[in-house]
C-alpha cells in the first residue's frame, strides 16, 4: 500500500511538471543549513494557531496498568502511542496530549526510547509525558477532577535540565472524563474544557473493568463513545485500540463537532462489517494497522475533512 501511494505521488509530481531531482537537492541543502527545521517549526506554529489548540479539549493516556501487562503488550501500547503522536502531528486540528504514569525504567517507556527524538522532539509537538499518575498530574481523587487548586510539582519524563516542571496549564473549572465502555454515560459531544482519558490497556480479556475501576477509585466521571448509537456492529467487536479511540476524537474535532458517525466510519478498520440502523451496509475505511491488540476500554456496549473548522 505504501509503495502504491509513493508511486501515485511520483506520478502526480511528474504531471505537475516538477523536477524531483532538484527538489531532493534543495531538501538536502535545507537540512544542512537548518532552514528545513525552521520552516517545519513555523508551519507547526501556524497550525497550532489556526486550530485554536488552546481552546480545544485535551487527551490523556493512562499508563498505570503497565505492571499488569506483558512485555509484548507494553510494546503494542508503545506502538499505539507512536501512531497517536504521528496522527496528531499530521492533523490540521491537533490537540494537546498528556501521557501519565510513563515511568522511567518501565517497559512502555523503554520501547518508546528506541524512537529517535523521543521525548524531546515530541514535547514540541504537543505530546508530553509524565511519570506521575492522573492524581498527581491533574489533582484527581477529590470530589471532581478540577485542576484549579493543584499547585504542586511533579517529574516530567523529558530529558531537560529541569527535573521538576509545572503541571499542564489548564483553564478554570477544567474537567476530567475517563472513557470506558463499561460506563453508563454516553458522549453526545466533546467539551473543550475537558481532558478525555484513554486507558492504556492492551488485553481487556484479562483486565476486565480495569479502566472503570481506576476511574471510580479517583472519583473521575466516566463516559463511553456513542458507537452503538451510530452503527449496528452486528457480530463485529467494539474493542478499539488506543490510537483508534484517539483518532475518532480527532476526526470529530476535524469535522466541526457535528458527525460522530462519520468520525467512527473513517477510523474503523475496513474488516469490520457494520450497518446503519435501517439495515444498510456501511463502509468502514480506517487503515489496517497492526499494533498488537485493542485496549478495550471504550467499546460501545456496556460489559472528514482535514481542513474543516476546528472550533465548535
Amino acid at each position: 500500500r505504501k509503495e502504491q501511494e509513493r508511486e501515485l505521488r511520483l506520478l502526480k509530481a511528474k504531471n505537475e511538471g516538477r523536477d524531483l531531482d532538484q527538489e531532493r537537492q534543495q531538501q538536502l541543502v535545507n537540512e544542512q543549513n537548518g532552514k528545513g527545521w525552521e520552516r517545519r517549526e513555523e508551519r507547526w506554529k501556524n497550525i497550532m494557531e489556526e486550530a485554536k489548540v488552546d481552546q480545544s479539549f485535551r487527551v490523556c493516556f493512562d499508563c498505570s496498568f503497565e505492571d499488569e501487562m506483558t512485555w509484548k503488550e507494553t510494546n503494542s501500547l508503545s506502538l499505539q502511542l507512536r501512531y497517536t503522536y504521528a496522527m496528531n502531528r499530521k492533523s490540521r486540528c491537533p490537540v494537546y496530549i498528556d501521557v501519565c504514569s510513563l515511568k522511567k525504567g518501565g517497559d512502555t517507556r523503554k520501547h518508546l526510547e528506541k524512537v529517535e527524538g523521543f521525548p524531546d522532539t515530541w514535547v514540541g509537538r504537543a505530546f508530553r509525558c509524565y511519570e506521575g499518575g492522573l492524581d498527581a498530574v491533574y489533582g484527581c481523587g477529590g470530589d471532581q477532577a478540577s485542576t484549579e487548586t493543584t499547585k504542586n510539582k511533579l517529574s516530567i519524563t523529558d530529558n531537560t535540565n529541569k527535573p521538576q516542571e509545572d503541571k499542564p496549564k489548564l483553564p478554570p473549572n477544567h474537567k476530567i472524563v475517563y472513557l470506558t465502555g463499561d460506563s453508563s454515560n454516553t458522549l453526545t459531544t466533546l467539551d473543550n474544557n475537558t481532558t478525555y482519558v484513554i486507558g492504556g490497556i492492551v488485553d481487556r480479556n484479562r483486565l476486565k473493568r480495569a479502566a472503570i475501576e481506576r476511574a471510580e477509585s479517583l472519583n473521575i466521571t466516566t463516559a463511553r463513545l456513542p458507537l452503538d448509537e451510530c452503527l449496528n456492529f452486528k457480530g463485529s467487536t467494539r474493542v478499539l485500540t488506543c490510537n483508534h479511540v484517539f483518532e475518532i476524537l480527532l476526526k470529530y474535532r476535524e469535522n466541526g463537532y457535528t458527525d460522530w458517525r462519520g468520525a467512527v466510519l473513517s477510523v474503523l478498520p475496513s474488516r469490520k462489517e457494520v450497518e446503519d440502523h435501517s439495515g444498510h451496509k456501511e463502509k468502514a475505511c480506517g487503515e489496517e494497522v497492526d499494533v498488537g491488540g485493542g485496549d478495550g476500554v471504550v467499546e460501545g456496549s456496556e460489559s472528514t475533512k482535514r481542513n474543516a473548522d476546528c472550533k465548535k
Side-chain angles (χ1 to χ4, degrees), residues 263-301:
V264 172
L265 282 173
S266 69
V267 173
L268 284 180
S270 56
R271 69 177 182 276
K272 289 186 180 289
E273 295 185 5
V274 293
E275 297 178 344
D276 63 20
H277 290 298
S278 63
H280 294 97
K281 288 186 177 181
E282 294 284 1
K283 178 67 174 177
C285 51
E287 281 193 70
E288 296 284 352
V289 179
D290 183 10
V291 289
D295 65 317
V297 298
V298 291
E299 72 280 15
S301 63

Side-chain angles (χ1 to χ4, degrees), residues 66 102-110 113 131:
E66 180 178 286
L102 194 66
K103 299 178 180 178
K104 292 181 179 178
D107 288 341
T108 306
R109 182 178 172 85
K110 287 179 180 178
E113 286 175 340
E131 287 193 79

Side-chain angles (χ1 to χ4, degrees), residues 63 69 73-81 108 200-202 242:
C63 295
M69 296 195 297
E73 289 165 351
T74 59
N75 184 49
S76 296
L77 177 58
S78 72
L79 287 173
Q80 294 174 32
L81 292 174
T108 306
I201 306 171
V202 173
C242 292

Side-chain angles (χ1 to χ4, degrees), residues 36-264:
W37 179 85
E38 292 177 0
R39 187 164 58 247
R40 288 191 298 273
E41 290 298 305
E42 184 64 26
R43 177 177 175 274
W44 177 254
K45 179 181 178 181
N46 292 337
I47 288 174
M48 295 284 279
E49 291 177 352
E50 291 174 6
K52 299 180 175 61
V53 68
D54 291 322
Q55 301 175 27
S56 168
F57 63 85
R58 303 170 70 101
V59 175
C60 173
F61 291 89
D62 178 15
C63 295
S64 63
F65 309 94
E66 180 178 286
D67 292 342
E68 302 176 73
M69 296 195 297
T70 66
W71 182 91
K72 184 177 180 180
E73 289 165 351
T74 59
N75 184 49
S76 296
L77 177 58
S78 72
L79 287 173
Q80 294 174 32
L81 292 174
R82 288 171 61 182
Y83 277 112
T84 295
Y85 166 74
M87 281 185 286
N88 197 52
R89 189 185 63 185
K90 294 176 182 177
S91 174
R92 299 303 303 179
C93 297
V95 298
Y96 286 118
I97 299 172
D98 300 320
V99 181
C100 295
S101 298
L102 194 66
K103 299 178 180 178
K104 292 181 179 178
D107 288 341
T108 306
R109 182 178 172 85
K110 287 179 180 178
H111 294 306
L112 289 170
E113 286 175 340
K114 297 176 183 178
V115 181
E116 184 178 358
F118 178 87
D120 298 336
T121 303
W122 292 30
V123 172
R125 293 295 182 267
F127 193 104
R128 183 157 288 203
C129 304
Y130 296 93
E131 287 193 79
L134 292 172
D135 50 347
V137 175
Y138 297 107
C140 304
D143 293 335
Q144 167 57 35
S146 173
T147 56
E148 287 183 276
T149 60
T150 58
K151 300 181 181 294
N152 56 314
K153 309 288 183 178
L154 72 158
S155 296
I156 181 172
T157 60
D158 59 14
N159 298 326
T160 64
N161 294 324
K162 298 180 180 180
Q164 299 279 323
E165 289 194 8
D166 289 326
K167 298 177 181 182
K169 296 180 180 178
L170 304 173
N173 302 315
H174 192 79
K175 298 180 289 294
I176 311 294
V177 173
Y178 210 119
L179 300 180
T180 166
D182 293 309
S183 176
S184 58
N185 305 314
T186 303
L187 286 178
T188 56
T189 188
L190 296 178
D191 175 54
N192 281 330
N193 197 20
T194 297
T195 292
Y196 294 94
V197 182
I198 300 172
I201 306 171
V202 173
D203 190 340
R204 180 182 185 274
N205 291 326
R206 195 177 70 254
L207 300 174
K208 292 182 178 180
R209 293 186 58 83
I212 195 167
E213 288 174 1
R214 167 78 167 151
E216 289 173 348
S217 70
L218 296 173
N219 200 26
I220 298 176
T221 300
T222 63
R224 64 177 180 87
L225 293 179
L227 301 185
D228 285 333
E229 287 71 16
C230 297
L231 299 164
N232 177 8
F233 280 73
K234 299 166 58 178
S236 297
T237 176
R238 297 165 180 77
V239 175
L240 302 173
T241 60
C242 292
N243 52 291
H244 281 150
V245 178
F246 173 80
E247 192 174 2
I248 289 173
L249 300 180
L250 197 62
K251 292 295 184 182
Y252 186 71
R253 169 163 154 77
E254 288 178 357
N255 69 35
Y257 299 74
T258 59
D259 187 4
W260 277 116
R261 180 171 162 277
V264 172

